[in-house]
């Protein structure tokens, strides 16, 4: 398992807590609450749409990995109701994918078969590695165990809707929706064990307010989704470098990218720095670059134009409730404040 050293304020905060056990946030361990799904069989979105046409809905929420992790496909999609809600942690060769409905996020980490659901800490889901190390499912940071103080590599993900993704990426990966995978409606109430593990809140925003939390280098920042929806596109700098925060109104999806594009692996070419602007006339392609006129979708991929097939540099962005983001990144900035 590859790990990277955690730098900046997150590590410093963790070390400070470790030095004073009395300040350790509560850990509610319930490893048997959810069974982990390991290495399910794979298929394609277009095939699974036919297989479960009577049960999959266009507005089914999905977690998408948006970069080619194996060299074959344009990412993949995981419907919450069929996979992430029943299992919460999926340990797979494409990534370790997690869903925390209480804190309002889903995301992915580097591939492994060795992670299982464990419980909650600071109102955020916790998973456990085979070696006993405990990790935050939001940050991927190990806070206890043999690899404490390390961080898992992120898999580039966004959240979207099944119908939208199927239209744009029908050949992308989906899990084989065998009869054993029954849809489980998303929870409407907060899990009491998750709530029990929460810590004192940060009153800069309402606890349940949804933000796009972006972490890069030594900096973290929260972008309230209502402000992002209104703006459509926010140009900013994080960790000293330009970034764009973009909103897809059709699916309520947010993502963060560096305005730097790279060609597909099969093509030669240097990375290009682009000037991106909002283009509301392009359905499903909210960005256009001034340099070539290519149109870019919420997955950060050029969908048409001279740079078709090129990809923007994904930044670690997660749609999540404010209380969870602030608990894991206490020194986070807030856009507009």
């Amino acid at each position: 398992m590859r790990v990277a050293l955690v730098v900046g304020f997150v590590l410093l905060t963790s070390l400070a807590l470790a030095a004073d056990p009395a300040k350790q946030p509560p850990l509610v361990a319930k490893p048997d609450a959810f069974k982990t799904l390991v290495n399910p069989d794979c298929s394609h979105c277009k095939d699974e749409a036919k297989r479960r046409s009577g049960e999959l809905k266009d507005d089914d929420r999905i977690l998408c990995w948006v970069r080619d992790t194996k060299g074959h496909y344009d990412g993949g999609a995981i419907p919450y109701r069929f996979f992430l809600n029943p299992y919460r942690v999926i340990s797979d060769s494409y990534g370790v994918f997690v869903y925390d409905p209480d804190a309002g996020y889903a995301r992915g980490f580097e591939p492994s078969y060795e992670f299982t659901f464990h419980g909650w800490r600071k109102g955020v889901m916790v998973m456990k590695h085979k070696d006993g190390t405990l990790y935050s499912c939001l940050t991927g940071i190990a806070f206890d165990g043999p690899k404490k103080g390390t961080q898992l590599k992120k898999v580039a993900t966004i959240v979207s809707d099944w119908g939208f993704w199927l239209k744009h990426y029908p050949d992308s990966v989906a899990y084989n929706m065998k009869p054993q995978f029954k849809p489980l409606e998303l929870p409407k109430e907060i899990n009491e064990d998750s709530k029990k593990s929460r810590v004192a809140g940060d009153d800069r925003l309402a606890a349940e307010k949804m933000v796009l939390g972006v972490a890069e280098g030594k900096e973290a920042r929260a972008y309230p989704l209502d402000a992002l929806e209104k703006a459509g596109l926010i140009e900013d700098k994080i960790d000293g470098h330009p970034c764009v925060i973009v909103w897809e109104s059709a699916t309520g999806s947010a993502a963060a990218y560096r305005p730097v594009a790279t060609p597909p692996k099969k093509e030669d070419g240097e990375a290009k720095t682009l000037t991106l602007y909002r283009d509301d006339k392009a359905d499903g392609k909210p960005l256009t670059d001034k340099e070539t006129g290519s149109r870019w979708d919420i997955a950060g991929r050029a969908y048409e134009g001279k740079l078709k097939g090129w990809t923007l540099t994904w930044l670690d962005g997660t749609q999540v409730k404010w209380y969870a983001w602030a608990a894991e990144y206490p020194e986070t900035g807030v856009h507009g404040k």
Side-chain angles (χ1 to χ4, degrees), residues 39-42 48 51-52 55 82-83 175-183:
N39 197 31
D41 292 339
C42 290
E48 296 313 302
R51 189 195 308 271
R52 302 299 279 269
E55 296 172 286
F82 289 84
F83 295 100
Y175 291 137
N176 189 315
M177 304 180 76
K178 298 177 181 179
Q180 70 200 63
F181 298 117
K182 308 293 185 184

Side-chain angles (χ1 to χ4, degrees), residues 40-286:
D41 292 339
C42 290
S43 177
H44 297 91
C45 287
K46 62 184 180 183
D47 296 325
E48 296 313 302
K50 296 175 183 176
R51 189 195 308 271
R52 302 299 279 269
S53 60
E55 296 172 286
L56 273 169
K57 306 172 185 176
D58 281 350
D59 63 355
D60 260 321
R61 208 60 171 160
I62 58 175
L63 175 66
C64 310
W65 68 93
V66 296
R67 295 294 175 265
D68 186 351
T69 61
K70 289 188 175 184
H72 305 296
Y73 306 104
D74 289 332
I78 310 172
Y80 285 18
R81 289 193 305 132
F82 289 84
F83 295 100
L84 287 163
N85 193 33
Y87 293 98
R88 305 297 170 91
V89 175
I90 301 174
S91 284
D92 185 34
S93 59
Y94 284 99
V96 176
F97 300 108
V98 300
Y99 171 53
D100 184 345
D102 304 298
Y105 69 90
R107 65 165 313 151
F109 300 99
E110 59 190 308
S112 173
Y113 297 153
E114 299 179 334
F115 284 93
T116 56
F117 174 88
H118 187 71
W120 296 268
R121 175 179 177 265
K122 296 192 285 189
V124 174
M125 247 173 50
V126 171
M127 60 184 177
K128 185 177 184 178
H129 188 261
K130 184 179 178 181
D131 68 6
T133 305
L134 299 181
Y135 291 84
S136 163
C137 287
L138 177 55
T139 66
I141 294 172
F143 62 87
D144 193 22
K147 292 188 175 67
K148 181 178 178 179
T150 61
Q151 186 173 30
L152 299 172
K153 182 180 178 181
K154 316 305 182 11
V155 168
T157 55
I158 61 170
V159 295
S160 188
D161 290 342
W162 175 257
F164 181 93
W165 188 261
L166 178 65
K167 176 183 176 182
H168 289 85
Y169 294 104
D171 293 316
S172 62
V173 175
Y175 291 137
N176 189 315
M177 304 180 76
K178 298 177 181 179
Q180 70 200 63
F181 298 117
K182 308 293 185 184
L184 179 63
E185 295 306 315
L186 307 187
K188 294 183 172 61
E189 304 294 332
I190 299 296
N191 183 289
E192 287 300 317
D193 288 319
S194 174
K195 185 186 293 186
K196 195 185 305 180
S197 74
R198 292 191 187 188
V199 294
D202 182 326
D203 61 7
R204 283 180 290 172
L205 296 172
E208 303 291 312
K209 191 177 189 67
M210 291 296 296
V211 303
L212 180 73
V214 181
E216 180 70 9
K218 297 181 180 180
E219 193 169 359
R221 190 167 301 142
Y223 298 84
L225 292 193
D226 54 359
L228 180 55
E229 181 179 12
K230 184 176 180 180
L233 175 69
I234 294 173
E235 296 180 81
D236 206 353
K237 279 191 173 182
I238 191 164
D239 197 39
H241 299 283
C243 65
V244 292
I245 316 300
V246 63
W247 176 259
E248 173 53 68
S249 58
T251 59
S253 303
Y257 298 101
R258 290 252 184 265
V260 177
T262 53
K265 291 180 181 179
K266 61 184 178 181
E267 295 182 15
D268 294 326
E270 299 282 335
K272 297 180 184 294
T273 298
L274 301 173
T275 307
L276 298 164
Y277 64 93
R278 181 79 189 182
D279 189 352
D280 290 315
K281 296 179 181 179
D283 177 40
K285 301 174 282 291

Side-chain angles (χ1 to χ4, degrees), residues 283-323:
D283 177 40
K285 301 174 282 291
L287 295 174
T288 300
D289 70 76
K290 291 183 178 180
E291 287 75 10
T292 73
S294 299
R295 299 184 187 276
W296 303 79
D297 65 12
I298 190 65
R301 184 175 285 107
Y303 200 76
E304 61 186 30
K306 183 178 179 180
L307 300 182
K308 183 177 179 179
W310 286 51
T311 53
L312 298 175
T313 303
W314 180 82
L315 292 179
D316 180 13
T318 309
Q319 290 180 225
V320 61
K321 291 181 181 178
W322 166 247
Y323 86 80

